[in-house]
Amino acid sequence: MDRFVIDGGVALRGRVETSGAKNSALPALAACLLTEDPVILHRIPRVKDIRTMIELLRHMGAAVEDSGNGPLTVTGGANLEPVAPYEVVKTMRASSLVLGPLVGRFRRARVSLPGGCAIGARPIDLHMRGLEQLGARIEQTHGYIEATAPNGLLGATVRFDRITVTGTEDILMAAVLARGETVIQNAAREPEVVDLAALLTKMGASIEGAGTPVIRIQGVERLHGAEHTIIADRIEAGTLAIGAAITGGDVEVAGCVPEHLTALCAKLRLAGVDVEATAPDVLRVRRTGPLRSVDMVTEEHPGFATDLQAQYMALMTQAEGIAIVSERIFENRFMHVPELARMSASIRIDGNQAIVAGPRRLTGAHVMASDLRASASLVLAGLVAEGQTIVDRVYHMDRGYENIEGKLAGLGARIRRERE
Ligand code: EPZ
C-alpha cells in the first residue's frame, strides 16, 4: 500500500489545472448502458473509482476503449448481461448507478447490494423505492437486488423522502426510456446531476428542470450515441483552494467552475482569505493575514458540500477562535478527527458537531487515511504541520484524486509517494 511523505511549512504558489469530476464521470459511464451506440466522453479522470466502473461495464459486456488520458469511448451494445457482481460493487458503492439504466433499457437487473461504507450505512432504499414507483418489481435475495420490469417502466411521480444524489441520477436514467412522463420531486441539485442531464439530452432524452428540486422527463423510444465533456471536479478544486488557504499561499485553481463553489468561497472570505474568480474558469485563492474561525454546516447543493467538510476542518485548526463544524449528510464522517488530533489539533466531537479550537501549531505525525476525503484532510494538515507527516493507505485518496501529489508538488509542496 502506498503512502505520502510530506514535509510541511511551504506556502503553495502557482497555477494548477482541475481534473474532470469523478462524481460526474461515474453516472456518465453508467448512462452509456442506455444505448447500443458509442458514447465518447472527454475529461474522464483516471482514478480508481473510474477504473472500477470501467471494469464493471466490461464485465457486463460493454466495449470500453480507453485512449490513456484522452477520451473514453463506451459502446453499450445490444447484448449486455445486466449483472453487477458483489466482487465489483463491494469496492465501489456508486456501482448502484447501473441499476436505473439496466432496468430502464433491459427491463431487468441483478445488482449486489453495496456493503457498508466507512462514512455511514449509505443504504440505497430510496433508489429502490423510486424504481418501484416507475413499475419495477424489486426483490432482495442473497445480498442482491433483483429488479424486473417485464412490460417496461411507466412514467410516474417519484418523490424522494430525503435528497439523494445518486438516487436522483439512478431514477433520471431509468425514466428517460420509460413510457410517459416522470416527475422527480425533491431531486438533488448537484452540478453532477445537471451534467448527467446534459449528456442524456445529447443522447436524445427529453429532460427539464435538472438543477432544481423538480425534474420532468418525457420518456422516448431509444437513445443514440453522443460526445460529451465532463464538468470540472468541484471537490478537487475546493480541496486545492483550501490548500492555498491553509499554507498561506497564492494559488490559481484553473479549469474549474467558480459558481459550483459559492458556499466554500463564502466561508473562505469570512475566514479572511482572498478569493477571486480571475476568469470564468479560474479561482485565485490568497491568504494575506490571520484566519478567523467560521462555523460551517454541510448541506445538499448549493449548500456547503459534505465532501469538503474534512478539508475545511483542517483549515479551521489554523483559525483564531472556535469553529463549529456540523455534518448533516452522513452519520460517521469525522474519522479524520482522531488523526488530526495526533497532529496536535484541538477538536472535540459532540454528536454531529466538531468543535475546532485554533490556531494550533500542527506537528507532523504518522497518520492513517480512512476514506477518500479524510485522506485529503490529513494531506492538507501535513502541508502546514511542522516537520514530517506520513499518510498511510493513500489508496483511499487515489479513488477520487488524479495525481494529487504531482499537482501539490507543482505548487511547491514537499510531498512524495512511497510504496510501502
Ligand atoms: C454522492 O453519494 C457522492 N458520490 C458522495 O461523494 C457525496 O458525499 C454524496 O453524494 C453527498 O453529496 C457520488 O456521487 C458517486 P446521497 P450518494 O445518496 O449519492 C442517505 C465522494 O467523496 N441515503 O446523496 O451515495 C445517505 O445515507 C463521495 O466522492 C439513504 O438513506 O449520497 C446519506 O446519509 C462520498 N437512502 C444521504 O442520504 C438512499 O437510498 C445523502 O446520500 C440514498 C441515500
Side-chain angles (χ1 to χ4, degrees):
M1 284 188 276
D2 291 2
R3 63 188 189 181
F4 284 150
V5 177
I6 304 164
D7 291 301
V10 176
L12 299 185
R13 293 192 193 293
R15 186 182 176 95
V16 63
E17 281 295 324
T18 313
S19 295
K22 159 184 86 87
N23 289 349
S24 186
L26 289 170
L29 287 166
C32 298
L33 295 167
L34 285 163
T35 175
E36 56 186 62
D37 299 348
V39 178
I40 302 170
L41 297 172
H42 296 271
R43 209 180 182 187
I44 295 276
R46 272 21 181 218
V47 296
K48 180 76 177 66
D49 277 4
I50 297 301
R51 289 193 290 276
T52 303
M53 181 60 91
I54 291 171
E55 179 196 334
L56 176 56
L57 294 178
R58 284 175 172 154
H59 179 90
M60 289 192 272
V64 182
E65 289 160 54
D66 184 350
S67 60
N69 53 12
L72 214 57
T73 304
V74 184
T75 309
N79 310 306
L80 286 177
E81 178 56 27
V83 176
Y86 175 67
E87 296 69 33
V88 178
V89 175
K90 73 180 177 189
T91 64
M92 186 185 67
R93 11 171 339 79
S95 310
S96 59
L97 280 165
V98 303
L99 197 54
L102 289 176
V103 179
R105 179 160 168 241
F106 298 99
R107 303 186 172 188
R108 65 189 176 93
R110 180 172 147 75
V111 176
S112 167
L113 272 165
C117 167
I119 62 178
R122 298 184 74 186
I124 57 167
D125 54 313
L126 299 174
H127 300 229
M128 294 190 280
R129 292 302 76 73
L131 286 172
E132 284 173 335
Q133 285 166 280
L134 295 177
R137 213 161 74 80
I138 305 270
E139 278 178 35
Q140 291 184 36
T141 51
H142 308 297
Y144 276 80
I145 299 163
E146 304 276 356
T148 52
N151 306 316
L153 295 177
L154 207 50
T157 295
V158 175
R159 175 171 176 72
F160 283 116
D161 292 344
R162 78 172 288 178
I163 292 171
T164 160
V165 176
T166 50
T168 299
E169 292 164 347
D170 237 340
I171 297 308
L172 179 56
M173 290 190 280
V176 291
L177 294 176
R179 281 196 311 282
E181 178 182 67
T182 295
V183 180
I184 302 177
Q185 295 181 342
N186 203 22
R189 301 165 57 187
E190 270 67 6
E192 293 76 27
V193 173
V194 177
D195 201 29
L196 174 62
L199 167 60
L200 291 169
T201 302
K202 285 179 185 173
M203 294 168 70
S206 169
I207 302 168
E208 285 171 21
T212 77
V214 179
I215 304 177
R216 283 180 190 284
I217 304 108
Q218 304 301 330
V220 294
E221 277 298 305
R222 64 182 294 278
L223 295 189
H224 50 72
E227 187 158 3
H228 182 69
T229 298
I230 300 293
I231 54 169
D233 191 318
R234 60 194 168 97
I235 305 302
E236 183 195 42
T239 304
L240 293 165
I242 294 172
I246 199 170
T247 58
D250 180 353
V251 171
E252 285 190 317
V253 182
C256 71
V257 184
E259 51 270 18
H260 288 169
L261 286 163
T262 47
L264 171 66
C265 293
K267 292 295 175 186
L268 291 178
R269 290 187 181 108
L270 284 172
V273 180
D274 276 0
V275 183
E276 188 192 352
T278 51
D281 67 344
V282 179
L283 208 52
R284 183 179 181 186
V285 183
R286 266 181 308 163
R287 165 108 164 268
T288 49
L291 284 170
R292 293 187 293 271
S293 294
V294 179
D295 293 352
M296 182 277 279
V297 181
T298 64
E299 292 174 311
E300 294 87 358
H301 195 77
F304 194 101
T306 173
D307 291 350
L308 287 170
Q309 176 259 103
Q311 302 90 313
Y312 182 78
M313 192 185 293
L315 178 66
M316 286 297 107
T317 67
Q318 302 305 296
E320 179 71 39
I322 301 282
I324 298 178
V325 175
S326 307
E327 173 55 62
R328 280 213 188 135
I329 305 295
F330 289 109
E331 63 266 30
N332 183 30
R333 206 168 196 179
F334 285 152
M335 283 168 296
H336 42 287
V337 171
E339 297 302 311
L340 289 172
R342 297 190 60 249
M343 298 176 72
S344 314
S346 167
I347 306 171
R348 188 169 56 80
I349 295 177
D350 178 11
N352 75 331
Q353 293 189 324
I355 295 95
V356 187
R360 298 281 295 193
R361 177 185 298 281
L362 297 184
T363 53
H366 196 154
V367 292
M368 187 163 70
S370 52
D371 64 84
L372 171 51
R373 307 304 175 180
S375 46
S377 168
L378 299 178
V379 168
L380 292 175
L383 292 175
V384 69
E386 199 179 283
Q388 190 169 85
T389 296
I390 296 175
V391 183
D392 281 342
R393 301 190 179 182
V394 293
Y395 62 82
H396 287 293
M397 201 152 188
D398 292 337
R399 295 190 54 166
Y401 288 92
E402 192 176 38
N403 182 29
I404 189 67
E405 72 271 28
K407 288 176 177 169
L408 291 172
L411 295 170
R414 290 178 300 209
I415 178 172
R416 67 177 189 278
R417 179 186 291 260
E418 273 187 4
R419 299 232 175 273
E420 265 181 76

